[in-house]
Amino acid sequence: AQKITQTQPGMFVQEKEAVTLDCTYDTSDQSYGLFWYKQPSSGEMIFLIYQGSYDEQNATEGRYSLNFQKARKSANLVISASQLGDSAMYFCAMRESRSGTYKYIFGTGTRLKVLA
Amino acid sequence: NAGVTQTPKFQVLKTGQSMTLQCAQDMNHNSMYWYRQDPGMGLRLIYYSASEGTTDKGEVPNGYNVSRLNKREFSLRLESAAPSQTSVYFCASSEEGELFFGEGSRLTVL
């Protein structure tokens, strides 16, 4: 069965430093997608970045980059130059194709706290 | 720019009562989803729907029913609420890309 694992329940990082949030996945599919979402304390889910399984380059979106290592089945999120506003819960998710539609499965999340 | 709209935002129920969470999207997406979020558990998929009239079970479907009456709307029903169903519920939609989420519905079952 497909599975997403986030092994870091909580992380601290100093403001302006970079931080890596870990995500590993398990799937037998060749075609899949990997996503990261941010959930601030206000509760909404904010899409950050996407990586397709066939993409050869690591995805980047501003200060966010996705370190995709296909052989290791890992899709770590790197946040550069952390800001206080980055303090939030972060979820890794995987999309697989099932019965003509897409199914999205989430990890348990990592709570990031940025320190001033 | 409503996106995905969920109602109600908050609800308190007594054990055994029934209720329906409503979800509507205005992005013309085919696929819609219901998740529940519990502390330490992440988001778990309850049911999803590829198109009008079709639904599939997710990871935690027990105790829930869904209806996809048209392309826009996907409702989640609790027929006999239990305290274990106390959670935050999210509806989402997509068209192959990222999921677009509603603001969430906080449900408490006493």
Side-chain angles (χ1 to χ4, degrees):
Chain A
Q2 60 178 131
K3 189 176 179 181
I4 292 280
T5 302
Q6 294 181 253
T7 58
Q8 306 154 313
M11 291 276 289
F12 291 94
V13 65
Q14 206 67 38
E15 194 178 11
K16 299 180 186 175
E17 292 187 349
V19 63
T20 297
L21 306 183
D22 294 341
C23 174
T24 57
Y25 60 92
D26 186 20
T27 180
S28 55
D29 287 10
Q30 297 300 310
S31 177
Y32 51 90
L34 297 156
F35 301 79
W36 278 92
Y37 284 84
K38 172 184 179 181
Q39 186 180 42
S41 57
S42 50
E44 73 267 32
M45 295 291 289
I46 301 168
F47 165 70
L48 296 178
I49 196 166
Y50 164 77
Q51 179 86 40
S53 58
Y54 294 119
D55 294 341
E56 295 186 353
Q57 301 252 355
N58 285 342
T60 61
E61 289 287 348
R63 295 186 299 110
Y64 304 108
S65 60
L66 200 153
N67 184 359
F68 181 46
Q69 298 188 44
K70 196 170 183 177
R72 289 184 161 188
K73 292 190 174 180
S74 74
N76 298 338
L77 177 70
V78 180
I79 305 175
S80 62
S82 296
Q83 302 172 355
L84 295 178
D86 294 334
S87 293
M89 196 75 171
Y90 289 81
F91 292 100
C92 180
M94 177 170 63
R95 180 196 68 202
E96 289 189 326
S97 179
R98 285 291 178 270
S99 305
T101 190
Y102 291 108
K103 185 177 175 182
Y104 297 74
I105 299 297
F106 286 76
T108 53
T110 296
R111 185 172 297 282
L112 177 67
K113 175 71 175 174
V114 180
L115 304 173
Chain B
N1 281 1
V4 179
T5 303
Q6 291 180 232
T7 56
K9 299 237 180 333
F10 300 93
Q11 184 74 49
V12 179
L13 289 177
K14 293 182 179 178
T15 297
Q17 287 185 322
S18 62
M19 77 156 299
T20 300
L21 296 173
Q22 307 283 357
C23 175
Q25 52 94 7
D26 62 3
M27 294 173 283
N28 204 36
H29 288 165
N30 279 305
S31 300
M32 296 186 73
Y33 306 81
W34 276 106
Y35 290 89
R36 60 177 289 174
Q37 183 178 15
D38 303 291
M41 306 288 285
L43 279 80
R44 292 181 292 170
L45 182 63
I46 304 171
Y47 271 94
Y48 61 108
S49 169
S51 61
E52 177 182 344
T54 69
T55 61
D56 285 290
K57 294 179 180 179
E59 303 165 274
V60 289
N62 291 344
Y64 305 95
N65 288 304
V66 291
S67 295
R68 183 81 183 272
L69 297 176
N70 53 56
K71 193 171 186 178
R72 288 189 65 247
E73 298 171 295
F74 188 38
S75 62
L76 179 72
R77 182 160 179 84
L78 287 69
E79 290 291 351
S80 178
S84 60
Q85 294 178 303
T86 292
S87 189
V88 178
Y89 291 85
F90 284 96
C91 178
S93 70
S94 79
E95 193 63 41
E96 179 177 332
E98 74 267 27
L99 283 170
F100 291 81
F101 283 89
E103 294 181 337
S105 299
R106 184 173 293 275
L107 176 65
T108 301
V109 184
L110 301 175

